[in-house]
Amino acid sequence: DLPFVLIAGPCQIESLDHAMEVAAALDEICGGLGISWIYKSSFDKANRTSAAAARGVGSARGLDILAQVRARYRCPVLTDVHEASQCAPVAEVVDVLQIPAFLCRQTDLLIAAGRTGRPVNVKKGQFLAPWDMANVAAKIASTGNENILLCERGTSFGYNTLVSDFRALPIMARTGYPVVFDATHSVQQPGGQGTASGGQREFAPVLARAALAVGVAALFIETHEDPDHAPSDGPNMIPLRDMASLLVRLQAFDRVAKSG
Amino acid sequence: DLPFVLIAGPCQIESLDHAMEVAAALDEICGGLGISWIYKSSFDKANRTSAAAARGVGSARGLDILAQVRARYRCPVLTDVHEASQCAPVAEVVDVLQIPAFLCRQTDLLIAAGRTGRPVNVKKGQFLAPWDMANVAAKIASTGNENILLCERGTSFGYNTLVSDFRALPIMARTGYPVVFDATHSVQQPGGQGTASGGQREFAPVLARAALAVGVAALFIETHEDPDHAPSDGPNMIPLRDMASLLVRLQAFDRVAKSG
Amino acid sequence: DLPFVLIAGPCQIESLDHAMEVAAALDEICGGLGISWIYKSSFDKANRTSAAAARGVGSARGLDILAQVRARYRCPVLTDVHEASQCAPVAEVVDVLQIPAFLCRQTDLLIAAGRTGRPVNVKKGQFLAPWDMANVAAKIASTGNENILLCERGTSFGYNTLVSDFRALPIMARTGYPVVFDATHSVQQPGGQGTASGGQREFAPVLARAALAVGVAALFIETHEDPDHAPSDGPNMIPLRDMASLLVRLQAFDRVAKSG
Amino acid sequence: DLPFVLIAGPCQIESLDHAMEVAAALDEICGGLGISWIYKSSFDKANRTSAAAARGVGSARGLDILAQVRARYRCPVLTDVHEASQCAPVAEVVDVLQIPAFLCRQTDLLIAAGRTGRPVNVKKGQFLAPWDMANVAAKIASTGNENILLCERGTSFGYNTLVSDFRALPIMARTGYPVVFDATHSVQQPGGQGTASGGQREFAPVLARAALAVGVAALFIETHEDPDHAPSDGPNMIPLRDMASLLVRLQAFDRVAKSG
């Protein structure tokens, strides 16, 4: 039972400077606390609520920025893929491929991701039961790639609301694959602002505490120095300045969960 | 307020002979009842519960079969697309493109479908509120294509279960686009059989009656001569032999709904 | 398959004059349409969202008013009971006892209601599966009283929202007991206005149409000449002036549902 | 931020001997760990799934047994009330009155409980949003009694299933009243065994860990020396022999949650 790994970063890749600044802050915080971490950021937001919303810097520019973050801070990097054809080129740059929740049953995408040989972090669909993630993992494992992470990020609960069912963590862990808890998307309110998703940022630390106490291999948190002005997921991202104190507390829960 | 259009056919394209047989039966039934109909069948089941499940005949063979059905029975044909690059070639053959529910927020796919100029039938995601379909439609409409249909096919309700919220029909109709009710996927039990989705076929006619009474532009029903041995969606498809009597009854509700 | 019976009236008994006025209007409407009807009104709202909300005229005054409505319009009357000790005295005056949804598993109340020998209309709890109403009915039937009606009034769907699952109607009908659909409470938004429940009155006719098409023995609708100023359930009651045109349409769906 | 209080005991009062045995075990465990505890047991199970299920020893015998437990182990005792008239006599014997979840909006019951002056533990209805518990508490507080505890015990999530939304704990805490987490009823599967409720006992410790990490004033756990043969709630009660090790772990989470 190793200490939890942190997967963190800004939702979108905004620019090289911005990526480097957030990475520098995370490097300092995690270095000080002895937390292994993976930098996460997206080069394309492919399923925004509205077509008018910012999509991101695109694949070529985004991968270049991730490569520079990786080289400078010697941290693994993670990004998400949306079509099967993206998997191979993305895998040349990033350490972990991520499958978005809405796409977690797209067989071709899962298999293409598996074939890269890279670890694959699959978000559980908001429409999926935790036990059904075994079928999702089996699609990836059919390629011979067993480096699979299963990630809880909330389940549909009425309209425009998600609920975090913490039974899902031990249920997904029965597969034998490491389980990740995504604390910031779990407090999203999909479509809750009309033409954008809302969020309840104040509950992300609450759910993160619960997840660490139940026991997870990794924690996923999107963070930004100014969430209220971020181009996406602002309502649920954690301010960068709050990360250090939050992580200290979460480490304490993690230690209790993994002791004895 | 025109009479409802029927969108029907077997879930998967199994073979030319099979497609022709089902189309012949539908042609006879709908011809006798004066129902306009669209033939629906999929060349690829891209998001099966399990990777081991049958995917279908593939794109080239599938489109060829749909073209033959279309020529022989002079009926419009509909099929679903899964990646943006499929839209243009599929649109050369079929009359209506369909966006699967899991993919209803994938901006590139919606825009590629819109750009074909063909009518686009979008299934509402099981994770989406009906009012959020206005944003989905706006993505397609941003291409200048206003031939959009919005389709209700059930909403997540606990695990492995969907519920049909009939308020969704008038809510989606506020967009001004025609509303479709998918009676057979609405009774699906996603993942409910472990490595396959289950279904409650007996409730499809019940929900279809409700939808026609509320008022819809079109009704979507998957049908098969032997659902229990169909390669996909067997537990929720309506036996072909039950279609005629069901449609007679549904026409009566449709007439009342659209009178006065 | 008899035509549907209408259970209707104002949520609360407000005064003798008010009760008589609403009853007069319903008597005229239903008489003209040939609809059998039961007058419904409550003498006590025992579970208001807030303690500050109006409770009603109380038991003695309320039963007296119901008796006068019954005598004047020769219609059966229905009211709800909240504690076992109320059942016998209420049954001396009213024709049908009603069990509120929150109380549908209170064994003593069900048995006391059953022992009166009067028909008992049990609302399905917002927290209950339709198949579990068989156990509820069995509690009443254990008294030898088989005059039981099972009433759908919406199921919890996220917070402050209900959804109407129309599969519940045929599922409850398997018990052999008549099934009622409550169109106005099904569009309630429990607690949705902070210190009161909200409602979506505009969807009550929508759900009523669906219910009639699926097939029910009775339809429950609360109505008021001025819902926006009613002491309870205003946001979901149907204006009395809209009842006649609504019922005409519902009769047409009922005839189709029960033909052939 | 005081350490959590434990509310524990067998679901039903089975006999004096049984009550004393469970109390003795809890007294020893909690004494050893320095945990303040309250003995919980019910004299009447008033809302069983089926009328054929065991109801309990009744009020007179039950209160006598609770009084003896209280005298012998010098522990406060808690039991639930179902009708307003029970509150005063029950309050003469027990230290804390409990309002069952289904009854949490019954104004008369809440007010009668409040008037006893005893602390009142109200279970949040499975159909209620956490913010709506402020209205419930206000009904009790209207009597001048501010000794109120608000208890989370799961929310309806589809049929026959509950989900624990841990956002509910801080939301209810905004009222200023202490918040309790009921770990064993939260894993109930209402009606899930046809004529009885099922349960997922294995997840009660999981949810208890999450609750302690989020932060609660008290933890509610039903326990039994042989849950599989208990007359009620067997599927979700924790075996008495597992309590000590569970509590040790929970204390560690509680300390972290309340430090700093």
Side-chain angles (χ1 to χ4, degrees):
Chain A
D1 272 348
L2 296 170
F4 76 90
V5 171
L6 179 69
I7 303 172
C11 179
Q12 276 196 32
I13 302 174
E14 301 178 21
S15 68
L16 175 61
D17 282 354
H18 183 257
M20 285 294 187
E21 279 166 35
V22 178
L26 289 169
D27 181 56
E28 190 182 330
I29 295 166
C30 292
L33 295 171
I35 295 176
S36 299
W37 66 291
I38 299 172
Y39 187 80
K40 184 271 161 180
S41 209
S42 298
F43 59 81
D44 182 21
K45 307 309 297 177
N47 57 26
R48 299 299 303 264
T49 300
S50 160
R55 282 288 293 264
V57 297
S59 161
R61 181 95 189 95
L63 291 177
D64 179 58
I65 291 172
L66 290 174
Q68 294 196 48
V69 167
R70 188 175 190 273
R72 171 83 161 275
Y73 295 101
R74 297 171 184 275
C75 60
V77 298
L78 171 154
T79 201
D80 42 344
V81 288
H82 315 281
E83 296 215 338
S85 60
Q86 294 175 330
C87 293
V90 167
E92 286 176 28
V93 173
V94 312
D95 301 274
V96 184
L97 297 184
Q98 181 168 287
I99 307 293
F102 292 155
L103 304 182
C104 76
R105 290 220 348 203
Q106 301 303 314
T107 307
D108 289 343
L109 180 62
L110 293 164
I111 286 176
R115 283 194 180 141
T116 66
R118 292 286 190 190
V120 181
N121 181 33
V122 197
K123 301 272 187 101
K124 183 173 79 61
Q126 298 87 338
F127 46 82
L128 210 70
W131 42 85
D132 290 330
M133 285 297 279
N135 292 313
V136 168
K139 291 183 183 181
I140 301 171
S142 74
T143 67
N145 182 347
E146 295 271 0
N147 285 316
I148 301 167
L149 298 96
L150 303 179
C151 180
E152 169 65 35
R153 53 89 76 233
T155 300
S156 290
F157 178 67
Y159 293 132
N160 299 313
T161 312
L162 301 173
V163 71
S164 296
D165 180 359
F166 285 99
R167 292 171 298 193
L169 304 181
I171 290 170
M172 293 199 295
R174 288 175 193 157
T175 59
Y177 299 115
V179 171
V180 184
F181 181 72
D182 176 345
T184 45
H185 288 95
S186 293
V187 299
Q188 223 179 21
Q189 296 181 306
Q193 298 186 339
T195 56
S197 288
Q200 300 176 304
R201 188 188 300 154
E202 69 273 26
F203 294 124
V206 170
L207 300 184
R209 290 162 71 136
L212 270 289
V214 170
V216 288
L219 181 68
F220 180 109
I221 295 184
E222 287 186 347
T223 182
H224 195 276
E225 77 290 349
D226 184 10
D228 290 337
H229 297 93
S232 57
D233 274 0
N236 48 292
M237 282 197 282
I238 297 281
L240 203 39
R241 66 182 169 279
D242 297 342
M243 284 292 282
S245 61
L246 173 61
L247 289 169
V248 167
R249 183 63 63 92
L250 296 178
Q251 281 186 301
F253 288 115
D254 190 49
R255 273 184 219 112
V256 174
K258 290 170 181 167
S259 67
Chain B
D1 272 347
L2 297 170
F4 75 90
V5 171
L6 179 68
I7 303 171
C11 180
Q12 276 197 32
I13 302 174
E14 300 179 21
S15 69
L16 176 61
D17 282 354
H18 183 257
M20 285 294 188
E21 279 166 34
V22 178
L26 288 169
D27 182 57
E28 191 183 330
I29 294 166
C30 293
L33 296 172
I35 296 176
S36 298
W37 66 292
I38 299 171
Y39 187 80
K40 184 272 160 179
S41 209
S42 299
F43 59 80
D44 182 20
K45 306 308 297 176
N47 57 24
R48 300 298 303 264
T49 300
S50 160
R55 282 287 294 264
V57 298
S59 161
R61 182 96 190 94
L63 292 176
D64 179 57
I65 291 171
L66 289 174
Q68 295 195 48
V69 167
R70 188 176 189 273
R72 171 83 162 274
Y73 294 101
R74 297 169 184 275
C75 59
V77 298
L78 172 154
T79 202
D80 41 346
V81 288
H82 315 282
E83 297 214 337
S85 60
Q86 292 175 332
C87 293
V90 167
E92 286 177 27
V93 175
V94 311
D95 301 275
V96 184
L97 298 184
Q98 181 167 287
I99 307 293
F102 293 155
L103 304 182
C104 77
R105 292 224 341 208
Q106 302 302 314
T107 308
D108 289 342
L109 180 61
L110 293 164
I111 287 177
R115 284 193 180 140
T116 66
R118 293 286 191 188
V120 182
N121 181 34
V122 197
K123 301 272 188 101
K124 183 173 79 61
Q126 299 88 338
F127 47 81
L128 210 70
W131 43 84
D132 291 330
M133 285 298 278
N135 292 314
V136 168
K139 290 183 182 181
I140 300 171
S142 74
T143 66
N145 182 347
E146 295 271 0
N147 286 315
I148 300 168
L149 299 96
L150 302 179
C151 180
E152 169 65 36
R153 50 88 77 233
T155 301
S156 290
F157 179 67
Y159 292 132
N160 299 313
T161 311
L162 302 173
V163 71
S164 297
D165 180 359
F166 285 98
R167 293 171 298 194
L169 305 180
I171 290 170
M172 293 199 295
R174 288 177 193 157
T175 59
Y177 299 115
V179 171
V180 184
F181 182 72
D182 176 346
T184 46
H185 289 94
S186 293
V187 299
Q188 223 178 21
Q189 297 180 306
Q193 299 186 338
T195 55
S197 288
Q200 299 176 304
R201 188 189 301 155
E202 69 274 27
F203 293 124
V206 169
L207 300 184
R209 290 163 71 137
L212 271 289
V214 171
V216 289
L219 181 68
F220 180 109
I221 295 183
E222 288 186 347
T223 182
H224 195 275
E225 77 290 349
D226 184 10
D228 291 336
H229 296 93
S232 57
D233 275 358
N236 48 292
M237 282 197 282
I238 298 281
L240 203 39
R241 66 181 168 279
D242 297 342
M243 285 291 282
S245 60
L246 173 60
L247 289 168
V248 168
R249 182 63 63 92
L250 296 177
Q251 282 186 301
F253 288 114
D254 190 49
R255 274 184 218 112
V256 174
K258 291 169 181 168
S259 68
Chain C
D1 272 349
L2 296 171
F4 77 90
V5 171
L6 179 69
I7 303 171
C11 179
Q12 276 197 32
I13 303 173
E14 300 178 21
S15 69
L16 176 59
D17 282 354
H18 183 258
M20 286 293 188
E21 279 166 34
V22 178
L26 288 169
D27 182 56
E28 191 184 328
I29 294 166
C30 293
L33 295 172
I35 295 176
S36 298
W37 66 291
I38 298 171
Y39 187 80
K40 184 272 163 181
S41 210
S42 298
F43 59 80
D44 182 22
K45 306 309 298 177
N47 57 26
R48 300 298 303 264
T49 300
S50 160
R55 282 287 294 263
V57 298
S59 160
R61 181 92 189 96
L63 292 176
D64 179 56
I65 291 171
L66 289 174
Q68 294 195 48
V69 167
R70 187 176 191 273
R72 171 82 162 275
Y73 294 100
R74 298 170 183 276
C75 60
V77 298
L78 171 153
T79 202
D80 42 344
V81 288
H82 314 282
E83 296 214 338
S85 61
Q86 293 176 332
C87 293
V90 167
E92 286 178 27
V93 173
V94 311
D95 300 275
V96 184
L97 298 184
Q98 182 168 287
I99 307 294
F102 293 155
L103 304 182
C104 77
R105 292 222 344 206
Q106 302 301 315
T107 307
D108 289 344
L109 180 62
L110 293 164
I111 286 177
R115 283 192 181 141
T116 66
R118 292 286 191 189
V120 181
N121 180 34
V122 196
K123 300 271 188 98
K124 183 173 79 62
Q126 298 88 335
F127 47 80
L128 210 70
W131 42 85
D132 290 330
M133 285 298 278
N135 291 314
V136 168
K139 290 183 182 181
I140 301 171
S142 75
T143 66
N145 182 348
E146 294 271 0
N147 285 316
I148 300 168
L149 298 95
L150 303 180
C151 181
E152 169 64 36
R153 52 89 77 232
T155 301
S156 291
F157 178 67
Y159 293 132
N160 299 313
T161 312
L162 302 173
V163 70
S164 296
D165 179 0
F166 285 99
R167 293 172 297 193
L169 304 180
I171 290 170
M172 293 199 295
R174 289 176 193 157
T175 59
Y177 299 116
V179 171
V180 184
F181 182 72
D182 176 346
T184 45
H185 289 93
S186 292
V187 298
Q188 225 178 18
Q189 296 181 306
Q193 298 185 339
T195 56
S197 288
Q200 299 177 304
R201 188 190 299 153
E202 69 274 26
F203 293 124
V206 170
L207 300 184
R209 290 163 71 136
L212 270 289
V214 171
V216 289
L219 181 68
F220 181 110
I221 295 183
E222 288 187 345
T223 183
H224 194 276
E225 77 291 348
D226 184 10
D228 291 336
H229 296 94
S232 57
D233 275 356
N236 48 291
M237 281 197 283
I238 298 281
L240 202 38
R241 65 181 169 279
D242 297 342
M243 284 292 281
S245 61
L246 173 60
L247 289 168
V248 168
R249 182 64 62 92
L250 297 178
Q251 281 186 302
F253 287 114
D254 190 49
R255 275 184 217 112
V256 174
K258 290 170 180 167
S259 68
Chain D
D1 272 348
L2 297 170
F4 77 91
V5 171
L6 179 70
I7 303 171
C11 179
Q12 276 197 34
I13 302 174
E14 300 179 21
S15 68
L16 176 59
D17 283 355
H18 183 257
M20 285 295 189
E21 279 167 34
V22 178
L26 288 169
D27 181 56
E28 190 182 329
I29 294 166
C30 293
L33 295 171
I35 296 175
S36 298
W37 66 291
I38 299 172
Y39 187 81
K40 183 272 161 180
S41 210
S42 299
F43 59 80
D44 182 20
K45 306 309 297 177
N47 57 26
R48 299 299 303 263
T49 300
S50 160
R55 283 288 293 263
V57 298
S59 160
R61 181 94 190 95
L63 291 176
D64 179 57
I65 291 172
L66 290 174
Q68 294 196 48
V69 167
R70 187 176 191 274
R72 170 82 162 274
Y73 294 100
R74 298 170 183 275
C75 59
V77 298
L78 172 154
T79 200
D80 42 344
V81 288
H82 315 282
E83 297 214 337
S85 60
Q86 292 175 333
C87 293
V90 166
E92 287 177 25
V93 174
V94 311
D95 300 275
V96 184
L97 298 185
Q98 181 168 286
I99 307 293
F102 293 154
L103 304 182
C104 76
R105 293 225 340 210
Q106 302 302 314
T107 307
D108 289 343
L109 180 61
L110 292 164
I111 286 176
R115 284 194 179 137
T116 66
R118 292 286 192 190
V120 181
N121 180 34
V122 196
K123 301 271 188 102
K124 183 172 79 63
Q126 298 87 338
F127 46 82
L128 210 70
W131 43 84
D132 291 329
M133 285 298 279
N135 291 314
V136 168
K139 290 183 182 181
I140 300 171
S142 74
T143 65
N145 182 347
E146 295 270 0
N147 286 314
I148 300 168
L149 298 95
L150 302 180
C151 180
E152 169 64 36
R153 52 88 78 230
T155 301
S156 290
F157 179 67
Y159 293 132
N160 299 312
T161 311
L162 302 173
V163 70
S164 296
D165 180 0
F166 285 98
R167 293 171 299 193
L169 304 180
I171 290 170
M172 293 199 295
R174 289 176 193 157
T175 59
Y177 299 115
V179 171
V180 185
F181 182 72
D182 176 345
T184 46
H185 289 94
S186 292
V187 298
Q188 223 178 22
Q189 297 181 306
Q193 299 185 338
T195 56
S197 288
Q200 299 177 303
R201 188 189 300 155
E202 69 274 25
F203 293 124
V206 170
L207 299 184
R209 290 163 71 137
L212 271 288
V214 172
V216 288
L219 181 69
F220 180 110
I221 295 182
E222 288 186 347
T223 182
H224 195 276
E225 77 291 348
D226 183 10
D228 291 337
H229 296 93
S232 57
D233 275 356
N236 48 290
M237 282 197 281
I238 298 281
L240 203 38
R241 66 180 168 280
D242 297 342
M243 284 292 281
S245 60
L246 173 61
L247 289 169
V248 167
R249 182 63 63 93
L250 296 178
Q251 281 185 302
F253 287 113
D254 190 48
R255 272 183 220 114
V256 174
K258 289 169 181 168
S259 68

